[in-house]
Amino acid sequence: MDSTFVVGIDVGGQTSKIGVVDARGTVLAQTVIRTDTYDHVEPYIAELAEAVNKLIKESGTEGKVRGIGVGAPNGNYYTGTIESAPNLKWAHDRVEFSKLLSEAMGGLPVALTNDANAAAVGEMTYGAARGMKNFIMITLGTGVGSGIVINGEVVYGHDGFAGELGHVAAVRNNGRTCGCGKTGCLETYASATGVARTAREWLELTDEPSVLRGLDTIASKDVYEAAKDGDKLALKIFEFTGKILGRSFADFIAFSSPEAIVLFGGLARAKEFLTEPIEEAMNANVLPLWRGKVKIVYSQLKESDAAILGASALAWEL
Amino acid sequence: MDSTFVVGIDVGGQTSKIGVVDARGTVLAQTVIRTDTYDHVEPYIAELAEAVNKLIKESGTEGKVRGIGVGAPNGNYYTGTIESAPNLKWAHDRVEFSKLLSEAMGGLPVALTNDANAAAVGEMTYGAARGMKNFIMITLGTGVGSGIVINGEVVYGHDGFAGELGHVAAVRNNGRTCGCGKTGCLETYASATGVARTAREWLELTDEPSVLRGLDTIASKDVYEAAKDGDKLALKIFEFTGKILGRSFADFIAFSSPEAIVLFGGLARAKEFLTEPIEEAMNANVLPLWRGKVKIVYSQLKESDAAILGASALAWEL
């Protein structure tokens, strides 16, 4: 068997990134197609398959590709389906994604999971979690996603949807309204969106001076830039965000006792402001036996490649 | 190989229960020795081994015992040790329990874990979780213990101590002080002790009439009896307890997406008062995709046998 490459596809709301990857995690070639110009799955799959075939040809890996790994919102590992994904117009209902793509690719096997689980597999295969058998990946992007690895295996649970740690209760009473319909979810505080929300709330509720007051709209990136410039309110916002994360991490540790929690995503770039408050709150809220023992580490995958690598890593297990 | 029996040992703070068990989960013979009369582990192990040998002889299973499973507070599956167990005088430090017992038993293999993990294995092998690959066992006793099963395997985590769900934050602010040194832990509310504590608190804080007012000391059993007699305050206490449990269960579901949560232990006897508020709070706090889908079930093991059965079930995996 000389199949020594895999294809990784990261299906996002706007674009789908495709890459051909070798066993060391080098992305040999990559390309992008639109995701949001399709109302139905069939034409989208047709273009996706065409792009994959073209990329395989261009990278000189024809006949050597072992399989395709896909990370997609609401992707279900067990069934290979994408279900009720609000950001994918062609997947508001249930879509047999793996089956359709495999058929369009002449029977090449396809493995599918959600983006955060894919990121966890990527980190375990090529990144910061190499050699770890028990860790929790937390993706801090627009939302908060998670991929849980226990004994070297991603946790999919009874139905394939395990690992929704962005929706545990970070705040029980009077918590912020979440897109999922609940209140107080971790992702309403500890995502990029959550950080911007904290900024807007605090600017309105206090008179504290801050460079953020001059801005028309505030994104988490603005809060990060302000913190780097020493803005006190921005620094406090990251302290608060880290505390909220650390408290929840303590509960996660009680569950699966991981070796490390691996952080990834846009907001994880603010590590110089997050690590200390996370560790402080985490250690204050775990049982004594774990105090100071669980590492907070950051993704080691190149950000532009990470989503493709995560998805591709799934395909090695096919 | 004609070894078709196992021995289960439940090491409790006061007594240690020993039983010889067959593959169907029938306890052929059982006995009890004291745990609390020993300051050192060696004489305790000596008496334990003697009692086990006697029981094997009495039950006519000599030469047919495959191994010994032990459930003990702070028992570590990976290392076979018991560490800093506050309720075991001879295990305030680290004790090489499995090794010592196996030596005393002429080399018979010994598997050790904590009581709640043992209960989970027992339920999976002989009880309410037969055929389930993903469930969470919650033991509602003096404290709250847990055993998590994912993909048919107990979760031990990086260090062997995973599954301490009694110590997640049920209440974040001004929570009750827990024996572990933290505040707001689930077990300060939802254990037998927690229920009695709620009763004492509410009797002091309100003027509500209740038969519980007449009692010198209040145990959870008294609250249960009062609830059965229709005492309104007692009924409210169970509603509150169920709500606290259900909210935390929602977070557990976001983690491992289990098929069911299995309840066991003294307090689980109050199921007629707990199930409804648990399910209500749980379903109000999970993501829509899990609403109404995760079962709350109760242990099916005979209470007097359950601890022995749980421990014994471990030995089948040896």
Side-chain angles (χ1 to χ4, degrees), chain A residues 175-198:
Chain A
R176 292 178 184 166
T177 305
C178 183
C180 75
K182 306 198 297 152
T183 62
C185 291
L186 182 59
E187 83 169 27
T188 65
Y189 295 89
S191 59
T193 330
V195 164
R197 213 162 155 178
T198 306

Side-chain angles (χ1 to χ4, degrees), chain A residues 107-146:
Chain A
L108 205 61
V110 174
L112 170 79
T113 190
N114 73 36
D115 8 17
N117 286 341
V121 182
E123 217 62 50
M124 183 164 55
T125 313
Y126 315 114
R130 252 175 310 177
M132 287 189 195
K133 304 206 108 203
N134 293 278
F135 69 97
I136 298 175
M137 178 94 192
I138 302 284
T139 60
L140 303 171
T142 316
V144 171
S146 65

Side-chain angles (χ1 to χ4, degrees), chain A residues 31-231:
Chain A
T31 188
V32 173
I33 67 163
R34 303 288 306 186
T35 308
D36 56 2
T37 48
Y38 299 92
D39 290 326
H40 298 284
V41 68
E42 291 80 7
Y44 166 73
I45 290 280
E47 195 190 323
L48 187 63
E50 197 184 310
V52 171
N53 278 321
K54 201 172 149 219
L55 200 68
I56 290 175
K57 196 171 286 178
E58 282 170 15
S59 61
T61 55
E62 279 169 297
K64 296 182 189 163
V65 171
R66 187 155 151 173
I68 301 177
V70 183
N74 290 19
N76 186 313
Y77 181 77
Y78 290 144
T79 59
T81 56
I82 301 178
E83 277 174 66
S84 350
N87 299 325
L88 302 175
K89 269 189 284 181
W90 42 265
H92 287 181
D93 295 327
R94 180 189 165 99
V95 157
E96 305 267 356
F97 194 93
S98 295
K99 188 167 162 273
L100 291 171
L101 182 59
S102 179
E103 279 169 10
M105 290 297 301
L108 205 61
V110 174
L112 170 79
T113 190
N114 73 36
D115 8 17
N117 286 341
V121 182
E123 217 62 50
M124 183 164 55
T125 313
Y126 315 114
R130 252 175 310 177
M132 287 189 195
K133 304 206 108 203
N134 293 278
F135 69 97
I136 298 175
M137 178 94 192
I138 302 284
T139 60
L140 303 171
T142 316
V144 171
S146 65
I148 301 158
V149 173
I150 289 176
N151 241 334
E153 313 251 332
V154 174
V155 174
Y156 294 109
H158 177 53
D159 55 4
F161 291 117
E164 284 291 353
L165 299 182
H167 298 279
V168 299
V171 173
R172 291 243 182 245
N173 300 310
N174 303 311
R176 292 178 184 166
T177 305
C178 183
C180 75
K182 306 198 297 152
T183 62
C185 291
L186 182 59
E187 83 169 27
T188 65
Y189 295 89
S191 59
T193 330
V195 164
R197 213 162 155 178
T198 306
R200 286 192 299 267
E201 254 186 46
W202 290 13
L203 286 170
E204 188 160 330
L205 293 174
T206 72
D207 289 327
E208 215 165 321
S210 167
V211 298
L212 297 169
R213 286 201 184 276
L215 304 175
D216 282 343
T217 56
I218 297 176
S220 65
K221 211 177 141 234
D222 303 314
V223 185
Y224 178 56
E225 294 302 334
K228 281 211 289 191
D229 290 342
D231 187 84

Side-chain angles (χ1 to χ4, degrees), chain B residues 130-154:
Chain B
R130 253 175 309 175
M132 286 189 197
K133 301 205 109 203
N134 293 277
F135 69 95
I136 298 175
M137 177 95 194
I138 302 283
T139 60
L140 303 170
T142 316
V144 172
S146 65
I148 301 158
V149 173
I150 290 178
N151 242 333
E153 312 251 333
V154 174

